[in-house]
Amino acid sequence: MCIRDRSLTEQLYRPSGSQSAIISTSWANKLSINLEANSSFLVMVYNGSYSSQFEIRAQAILKLSPAMTMSALPSSSKQSVMVSIPTYAQFCGGLRLQDVPYEILLVQFKSYSDAAAERVYDTLNSATQESPVVYSIWDYRDVARGIEKNSAIVSATFVSVTIIAMFLCFFSLASSMSANILDQTKEIAIMRALGLTKRRMIILYVYEAFVLVFSSSLSGVVIGACVGWTLTAQQILFTQLPIPFGFPWTNLLVIFLVSVACAIASATIPAYSMMKRQISTIARLN
């Protein structure tokens, strides 16, 4: 969300944001706060020897936020309030900016490159080794590489399972097509007598087999996608995390290609065996 082409965090560092904060939807509902200029609330800051109150207003109201605990559910009692660093220093009794304590510092690149990320990582790593305070550096690239590797393994597993399942169904499709062709010998003889070529007859049965196997597989994909979307929505509700829903396009492509192969293999063999016979012989089979 942006206001006047500036992000929410950038708005906190403008003059209008020096007396404002970003809060969660749950707290906004509890305190009856909106984004109007006359809607404000009190923030009490205290420790063992210092306490003070500050009146601020809501710069934005969020249901979810990365790296922050924000929720629209009233059951979440502990939630984050986002303010600028100068505002936080003011809340702490006028601390100098260099004295503001940090627990987590996130570094984001305006223009990302692997070389720049390596330089920043090496600089921070050298600084932490020379510092008497113990720090730990978390590199998102390591997590991203692990996620990509696991995703590739899971995707390959599902593709393999899909191919195995469709290979097992191939035998049922082949027997069904063989029985279907034997039951339609009179229709085949009539169409052959009307001038339909052997090649066109075989293609017709390949089309029929493809429609059967692909439509049933597509129905399974649609049902699975609906179940997956429902489970994803449930996880979003329980964890309050923006979990994306990904449609299995790779699996759908594999299903299409395997359906074509199964249709050709299951229909061509019995249809070709039938088309090799004379029309009169085909008419007398059934």
Side-chain angles (χ1 to χ4, degrees):
M1 176 181 178
C2 294
I3 302 176
R4 295 177 183 175
D5 71 9
R6 293 182 180 270
S7 65
L8 292 178
T9 52
E10 290 175 337
Q11 286 289 318
L12 292 176
Y13 288 89
R14 293 175 61 84
S16 60
S18 60
Q19 299 295 325
S20 61
I22 300 175
I23 63 175
S24 65
T25 303
S26 176
W27 281 14
N29 294 335
K30 287 181 180 180
L31 301 176
S32 300
I33 298 173
N34 52 46
L35 300 180
E36 299 295 334
N38 57 356
S39 178
S40 61
F41 59 98
L42 291 178
V43 174
M44 178 175 290
V45 182
Y46 61 93
N47 55 24
S49 58
Y50 172 81
S51 64
S52 181
Q53 292 182 351
F54 297 89
E55 183 179 2
I56 60 176
R57 64 182 185 84
Q59 179 73 39
I61 300 173
L62 304 180
K63 293 182 179 180
L64 298 173
S65 176
M68 296 292 175
T69 305
M70 291 193 176
S71 173
L73 301 178
S75 58
S76 301
S77 57
K78 295 182 179 180
Q79 299 191 29
S80 303
V81 175
M82 297 173 59
V83 296
S84 64
I85 295 177
T87 303
Y88 180 78
Q90 181 184 359
F91 286 174
C92 295
L95 284 178
R96 296 183 304 172
L97 294 181
Q98 56 266 34
D99 295 332
V100 174
Y102 296 93
E103 181 178 359
I104 299 175
L105 180 63
L106 300 178
V107 179
Q108 182 179 6
F109 294 87
K110 288 186 176 180
S111 58
Y112 175 80
S113 66
D114 290 335
E118 286 294 337
R119 288 196 300 269
V120 172
Y121 182 85
D122 294 338
T123 302
L124 292 176
N125 192 27
S126 301
T128 54
Q129 292 177 358
E130 299 173 358
S131 175
V133 182
V134 178
Y135 296 97
S136 61
I137 302 177
W138 178 79
D139 193 347
Y140 173 75
R141 295 175 299 171
D142 297 335
V143 179
R145 283 192 289 265
I147 293 175
E148 291 176 359
K149 182 178 179 180
N150 293 334
S151 299
I153 294 174
V154 171
S155 179
T157 302
F158 280 120
V159 169
S160 301
V161 171
T162 301
I163 294 175
I164 293 173
M166 296 193 69
F167 177 75
L168 295 176
C169 294
F170 163 75
F171 297 101
S172 175
L173 178 65
S175 62
S176 298
M177 291 304 301
S178 298
N180 188 29
I181 291 173
L182 289 175
D183 288 341
Q184 296 179 355
T185 52
K186 287 185 172 55
E187 290 85 350
I188 294 173
I190 292 173
M191 286 189 290
R192 289 283 290 115
L194 292 175
L196 200 62
T197 62
K198 297 178 181 180
R199 180 173 175 273
R200 296 300 300 174
M201 288 295 301
I202 294 174
I203 292 176
L204 285 176
Y205 282 106
V206 170
Y207 287 165
E208 181 180 350
F210 174 76
V211 169
L212 288 175
V213 65
F214 186 71
S215 61
S216 58
S217 301
L218 185 61
S219 300
V221 170
V222 172
I223 294 173
C226 293
V227 174
W229 182 85
T230 303
L231 294 177
T232 302
Q234 186 183 50
Q235 290 296 319
I236 293 174
L237 180 62
F238 289 160
T239 62
Q240 290 295 294
L241 295 175
I243 303 174
F245 171 74
F247 188 83
W249 295 107
T250 303
N251 286 30
L252 184 61
L253 178 61
V254 170
I255 288 173
F256 176 80
L257 297 177
V258 177
S259 297
V260 173
C262 289
I264 294 174
S266 62
T268 301
I269 297 174
Y272 180 75
S273 177
M274 181 66 67
M275 297 307 141
K276 290 193 302 182
R277 305 178 184 183
Q278 296 293 329
I279 297 177
S280 59
T281 304
I282 296 176
R284 289 195 300 267
L285 288 177
N286 191 2

Short mmCIF file of all heavy atoms in Angstrom, two decimals, residues 2 15 40 51 83 104 115 117-118 133 145 170 184-186 211 225 233 240 245 249:
data_model
loop_
_atom_site.label_atom_id
_atom_site.label_comp_id
_atom_site.label_asym_id
_atom_site.label_seq_id
_atom_site.Cartn_x
_atom_site.Cartn_y
_atom_site.Cartn_z
N CYS A 2 0.61 2.20 -0.82
CA CYS A 2 1.39 3.43 -0.91
C CYS A 2 0.47 4.64 -0.82
O CYS A 2 -0.67 4.59 -1.25
CB CYS A 2 2.20 3.48 -2.20
SG CYS A 2 3.49 2.22 -2.29
N PRO A 15 7.05 14.64 8.18
CA PRO A 15 6.57 15.42 9.34
C PRO A 15 5.23 14.94 9.87
O PRO A 15 5.02 14.91 11.08
CB PRO A 15 6.50 16.85 8.78
CG PRO A 15 7.51 16.88 7.68
CD PRO A 15 7.47 15.51 7.06
N SER A 40 -7.17 9.55 17.68
CA SER A 40 -5.86 9.32 18.28
C SER A 40 -5.99 8.36 19.46
O SER A 40 -7.10 8.03 19.91
CB SER A 40 -5.23 10.64 18.74
OG SER A 40 -6.06 11.25 19.72
N SER A 51 8.50 6.41 32.96
CA SER A 51 7.20 6.17 32.32
C SER A 51 6.70 7.49 31.76
O SER A 51 6.93 8.56 32.31
CB SER A 51 6.18 5.60 33.33
OG SER A 51 5.91 6.54 34.35
N VAL A 83 6.60 2.37 14.61
CA VAL A 83 6.87 3.80 14.62
C VAL A 83 8.25 4.02 14.00
O VAL A 83 9.03 3.10 13.83
CB VAL A 83 6.82 4.39 16.05
CG1 VAL A 83 5.43 4.25 16.64
CG2 VAL A 83 7.86 3.71 16.94
N ILE A 104 16.74 -6.70 15.98
CA ILE A 104 16.82 -7.23 14.62
C ILE A 104 16.97 -6.06 13.67
O ILE A 104 16.25 -5.06 13.77
CB ILE A 104 15.56 -8.06 14.26
CG1 ILE A 104 15.41 -9.25 15.20
CG2 ILE A 104 15.63 -8.55 12.81
CD1 ILE A 104 14.14 -10.03 14.97
N ALA A 115 26.66 -9.59 -6.17
CA ALA A 115 27.95 -9.02 -5.77
C ALA A 115 27.78 -8.03 -4.62
O ALA A 115 28.55 -8.05 -3.64
CB ALA A 115 28.61 -8.33 -6.97
N ALA A 117 25.29 -7.99 -2.45
CA ALA A 117 24.89 -8.75 -1.27
C ALA A 117 26.10 -9.42 -0.62
O ALA A 117 26.21 -9.46 0.62
CB ALA A 117 23.84 -9.79 -1.66
N GLU A 118 27.02 -9.94 -1.42
CA GLU A 118 28.23 -10.56 -0.87
C GLU A 118 29.10 -9.53 -0.15
O GLU A 118 29.65 -9.82 0.92
CB GLU A 118 29.02 -11.22 -1.99
CG GLU A 118 28.42 -12.52 -2.50
CD GLU A 118 28.44 -13.61 -1.45
OE1 GLU A 118 29.26 -13.53 -0.52
OE2 GLU A 118 27.61 -14.54 -1.55
N VAL A 133 30.15 -7.68 21.36
CA VAL A 133 28.77 -8.17 21.46
C VAL A 133 28.57 -9.29 20.44
O VAL A 133 29.06 -9.20 19.30
CB VAL A 133 27.76 -7.03 21.22
CG1 VAL A 133 26.33 -7.54 21.39
CG2 VAL A 133 28.04 -5.87 22.16
N ARG A 145 17.56 -20.60 -1.24
CA ARG A 145 18.12 -21.77 -1.93
C ARG A 145 17.57 -23.06 -1.37
O ARG A 145 17.27 -24.00 -2.12
CB ARG A 145 19.65 -21.74 -1.84
CG ARG A 145 20.31 -20.75 -2.79
CD ARG A 145 21.80 -20.99 -2.85
NE ARG A 145 22.44 -20.58 -1.60
CZ ARG A 145 22.99 -19.40 -1.40
NH1 ARG A 145 22.99 -18.48 -2.35
NH2 ARG A 145 23.57 -19.11 -0.24
N PHE A 170 -3.58 -46.60 -17.42
CA PHE A 170 -3.49 -46.89 -18.84
C PHE A 170 -4.06 -48.27 -19.17
O PHE A 170 -4.73 -48.46 -20.19
CB PHE A 170 -2.04 -46.80 -19.30
CG PHE A 170 -1.76 -47.45 -20.62
CD1 PHE A 170 -2.16 -46.85 -21.80
CD2 PHE A 170 -1.12 -48.67 -20.68
CE1 PHE A 170 -1.92 -47.46 -23.02
CE2 PHE A 170 -0.87 -49.28 -21.89
CZ PHE A 170 -1.27 -48.67 -23.06
N GLN A 184 -18.58 -51.97 -31.11
CA GLN A 184 -19.03 -51.08 -32.18
C GLN A 184 -18.60 -51.58 -33.56
O GLN A 184 -18.37 -50.80 -34.48
CB GLN A 184 -18.46 -49.67 -31.95
CG GLN A 184 -18.97 -49.00 -30.68
CD GLN A 184 -18.37 -47.61 -30.48
OE1 GLN A 184 -17.51 -47.19 -31.24
NE2 GLN A 184 -18.85 -46.92 -29.46
N THR A 185 -18.50 -52.88 -33.71
CA THR A 185 -18.06 -53.43 -35.01
C THR A 185 -19.03 -53.08 -36.14
O THR A 185 -18.60 -52.78 -37.26
CB THR A 185 -17.91 -54.95 -34.90
OG1 THR A 185 -19.13 -55.51 -34.36
CG2 THR A 185 -16.76 -55.31 -33.98
N LYS A 186 -20.33 -53.12 -35.87
CA LYS A 186 -21.30 -52.79 -36.93
C LYS A 186 -21.19 -51.33 -37.34
O LYS A 186 -21.25 -50.99 -38.52
CB LYS A 186 -22.72 -53.11 -36.45
CG LYS A 186 -23.02 -54.60 -36.41
CD LYS A 186 -24.46 -54.84 -36.07
CE LYS A 186 -24.83 -56.32 -36.22
NZ LYS A 186 -23.96 -57.22 -35.44
N VAL A 211 -10.13 -37.77 -24.77
CA VAL A 211 -11.18 -37.06 -24.03
C VAL A 211 -11.47 -37.76 -22.71
O VAL A 211 -11.63 -37.11 -21.66
CB VAL A 211 -12.46 -36.95 -24.89
CG1 VAL A 211 -13.62 -36.45 -24.05
CG2 VAL A 211 -12.22 -36.02 -26.07
N ALA A 225 -7.13 -28.83 -6.67
CA ALA A 225 -6.84 -27.41 -6.54
C ALA A 225 -7.82 -26.74 -5.58
O ALA A 225 -7.43 -25.88 -4.78
CB ALA A 225 -6.89 -26.73 -7.90
N ALA A 233 -6.28 -21.34 2.59
CA ALA A 233 -7.07 -20.32 3.29
C ALA A 233 -7.17 -20.61 4.79
O ALA A 233 -7.13 -19.71 5.63
CB ALA A 233 -8.46 -20.22 2.67
N GLN A 240 -2.03 -16.54 10.33
CA GLN A 240 -1.98 -15.10 10.03
C GLN A 240 -0.74 -14.76 9.20
O GLN A 240 -0.10 -13.72 9.39
CB GLN A 240 -2.00 -14.28 11.31
CG GLN A 240 -3.33 -14.33 12.05
CD GLN A 240 -4.45 -13.69 11.25
OE1 GLN A 240 -4.44 -12.49 11.00
NE2 GLN A 240 -5.42 -14.48 10.85
N PHE A 245 -1.06 -19.19 -2.84
CA PHE A 245 -1.59 -20.43 -3.42
C PHE A 245 -1.00 -20.60 -4.81
O PHE A 245 -1.08 -19.71 -5.65
CB PHE A 245 -3.12 -20.37 -3.51
CG PHE A 245 -3.72 -21.52 -4.29
CD1 PHE A 245 -3.77 -22.78 -3.75
CD2 PHE A 245 -4.20 -21.32 -5.57
CE1 PHE A 245 -4.31 -23.84 -4.46
CE2 PHE A 245 -4.74 -22.36 -6.30
CZ PHE A 245 -4.80 -23.63 -5.74
N TRP A 249 0.87 -25.98 -12.39
CA TRP A 249 0.91 -25.91 -13.85
C TRP A 249 1.81 -26.99 -14.44
O TRP A 249 1.52 -27.53 -15.51
CB TRP A 249 1.38 -24.52 -14.29
CG TRP A 249 0.45 -23.43 -13.92
CD1 TRP A 249 0.62 -22.49 -12.95
CD2 TRP A 249 -0.84 -23.16 -14.50
NE1 TRP A 249 -0.46 -21.65 -12.88
CE2 TRP A 249 -1.37 -22.03 -13.83
CE3 TRP A 249 -1.57 -23.75 -15.52
CZ2 TRP A 249 -2.61 -21.49 -14.15
CZ3 TRP A 249 -2.82 -23.20 -15.84
CH2 TRP A 249 -3.31 -22.10 -15.17
#
